[in-house]
Amino acid sequence: MDSFDSARRLIVETAQALTRKGYLMATGGNLSLRIPGQDAFAVTPSNYDYMKMTPGDVCVLNLELKPLAGERRPSVESAMHAAIYKVRNDVNAVVHTHQVYTSALALVRASIPALFDEQARFLGRSVKLIPYAPSGTGILRDTIARHVRDHNNAYMMQNHGALVLGHDMERAVHNVEVLEKCALAYLLALCTGRKVTHIPLAAREVAMAKLRADQKKIERGDLKTGGE
Ligand SMILES: [Zn+2]
């Protein structure tokens, strides 16, 4: 049970840190962590206050959503998390938030082009919009699974929020912060009504190549990953 325990602890610590920083609000959003070496993941319970949460409240499911640990009902988005782990071997942590600036861009369907080097290096070529689908449905699960095959690490969910991936939880949290900074800067830039510039295509592609090289290392198992 040790690998479950450390993953469940990390979920609680991360959920509370993201709540304190304002990325998670009330019971909105959900996060998960792949259990190292197993076809399983730890995920936040459904509709439960992050600041009251203890490791025992965190659910552990296999990738077919069979419960392995935890008494509470798992997040309604568990199928979306499982689908991502199935199609992205480089991803070991998934954070879904309703963070405000990214959500605002998702409302106006404004995908974020490559605006900053740091953005392209960690989030990918662009932050694309995933079309609306109701929470907890097979339609949302399948739409997400289709979109995340493009190797980017951040997406906007139309009329919903943000979806952020990482090779570990620390990187996923970092990517949440990079995304929100980009979203705010883009929103402010758009508000001026002036033309918004992008980084040069060559710079974007160099950054993306570095991100892909990192991802391939994880896929081959060269880097230590997961909840340790
Ligand atoms: Zn949500």
Side-chain angles (χ1 to χ4, degrees):
M1 286 297 277
D2 276 356
S3 57
F4 288 3
D5 289 347
S6 61
R8 293 166 103 187
R9 260 200 317 275
L10 186 57
I11 291 278
V12 172
E13 286 165 15
T14 309
Q16 294 183 348
L18 287 169
T19 304
R20 276 189 221 101
K21 289 178 177 179
Y23 294 106
L24 291 177
M25 284 138 267
T27 61
N30 37 71
L31 51 151
S32 72
L33 187 69
R34 199 195 288 267
I35 305 289
Q38 297 184 46
D39 285 337
F41 62 106
V43 64
T44 43
S46 178
N47 200 25
Y48 193 70
D49 189 329
Y50 294 116
M51 299 315 280
K52 285 192 203 149
M53 198 175 288
T54 66
D57 295 319
V58 175
C59 308
V60 181
L61 308 176
N62 73 12
L63 294 185
E64 306 313 317
L65 306 182
K66 180 173 169 275
L68 304 179
E71 300 295 313
R72 294 194 179 274
R73 207 156 47 86
S75 162
V76 292
E77 301 297 10
S78 296
M80 167 179 94
H81 290 255
I84 295 168
Y85 293 127
K86 283 184 186 173
V87 298
R88 288 281 300 269
N89 288 335
D90 64 295
V91 169
N92 294 300
V94 174
V95 179
H96 161 56
T97 73
H98 299 165
Q99 58 196 71
V100 175
Y101 298 121
T102 305
S103 299
L105 288 175
L107 291 179
V108 294
R109 305 177 52 167
S111 296
I112 311 176
L115 303 175
F116 303 102
D117 291 339
E118 176 197 33
Q119 174 202 348
R121 176 69 181 84
F122 295 110
L123 307 185
R125 284 195 179 91
S126 64
V127 182
K128 290 183 193 160
L129 182 86
I130 298 178
Y132 178 81
S135 281
T137 62
I139 307 167
L140 180 65
R141 177 200 62 211
D142 295 345
T143 308
I144 299 280
R146 212 168 46 247
H147 279 79
V148 298
R149 289 173 197 272
D150 65 7
H151 305 295
N152 289 318
N153 278 343
Y155 304 85
M156 288 183 281
M157 297 163 72
Q158 189 182 344
N159 297 82
H160 191 161
L163 178 66
V164 179
L165 317 178
H167 70 261
D168 63 14
M169 190 56 93
E170 196 180 341
R171 179 60 63 83
V173 168
H174 168 264
N175 289 348
V176 164
E177 295 179 317
V178 171
L179 172 63
E180 195 67 343
K181 175 236 164 184
C182 292
L184 174 56
Y186 191 41
L187 206 53
L188 292 173
L190 290 172
C191 287
T192 66
R194 298 177 66 158
K195 183 178 173 353
V196 179
T197 58
H198 304 177
I199 59 171
L201 211 59
R204 186 192 78 179
E205 289 308 304
V206 166
M208 186 67 197
K210 286 182 183 162
L211 177 61
R212 280 297 293 140
D214 285 352
Q215 292 175 345
K216 284 176 185 162
K217 270 188 217 162
I218 305 286
E219 286 164 11
R220 288 197 305 267
D222 292 358
L223 285 183
K224 200 166 148 60
T225 59
E228 294 151 285

